[in-house]
């Protein structure tokens, strides 16, 4: 599978960053947990559209925000990314993860 985790035929920026960080030993469960907590700025236990917009600021592209959520597997009934989905995005080859 290599870097192209979603097998789209393209290397997306997030896929490149994930591989680069993993090669540097930066991807750990602790670091991912901290990153999730920062993205979940309202401490709701999920990363929402509103959380991403608050990080990206007023000059965001709404289609890009929804694409990010969809890519992370958050296009379920809630349209949000939970911790398990976040970990699967970062470690797509792992079978399952336990929520924090």
């Amino acid at each position: 599978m290599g870097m192209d985790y979603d097998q789209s035929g393209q290397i997306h920026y997030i896929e490149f960053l994930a591989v680069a960080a993993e090669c540097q030993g930066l991807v750990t469960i602790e670091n991912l947990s901290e990153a999730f907590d920062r993205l979940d700025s309202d401490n709701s236990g999920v990363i929402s559209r509103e959380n991403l917009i608050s990080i990206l600021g007023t000059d965001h592209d709404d289609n890009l925000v929804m694409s990010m959520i969809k890519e992370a597997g958050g296009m379920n009934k809630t349209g949000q990314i939970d911790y398990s989905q976040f970990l699967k995005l970062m470690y797509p080859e792992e079978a399952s993860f336990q929520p924090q």
Side-chain angles (χ1 to χ4, degrees):
M1 187 180 309
M3 265 197 263
D4 187 12
Y5 290 116
D6 66 359
Q7 298 180 349
S8 66
Q10 299 177 357
I11 304 300
H12 297 275
Y13 185 64
I14 190 71
E15 292 170 326
F16 173 78
L17 288 179
V19 170
E22 190 168 5
C23 287
Q24 295 295 316
L26 300 175
V27 179
T28 64
I29 293 298
E30 294 80 19
N31 287 345
L32 291 175
S33 179
E34 183 177 329
F36 182 86
D37 289 342
R38 288 185 182 188
L39 292 169
D40 175 22
S41 58
D42 59 1
N43 296 317
S44 63
V46 294
I47 301 169
S48 66
R49 176 182 171 275
E50 291 77 20
N51 293 145
L52 293 175
I53 289 172
S54 73
I55 291 168
L56 296 172
T58 57
D59 194 27
H60 72 278
D61 178 345
D62 208 39
N63 290 329
L64 176 62
V65 171
M66 294 309 295
S67 176
M68 291 166 72
I69 292 172
K70 183 178 179 183
E71 186 174 333
M75 291 308 289
N76 53 21
K77 293 179 184 175
T78 66
Q80 300 168 328
I81 304 164
D82 64 26
Y83 186 65
S84 177
Q85 290 167 318
F86 181 74
L87 289 178
K88 286 178 185 175
L89 177 66
M90 299 309 292
Y91 288 113
E93 295 174 355
E94 296 294 325
S96 65
F97 292 95
Q98 298 299 317
Q100 61 181 3

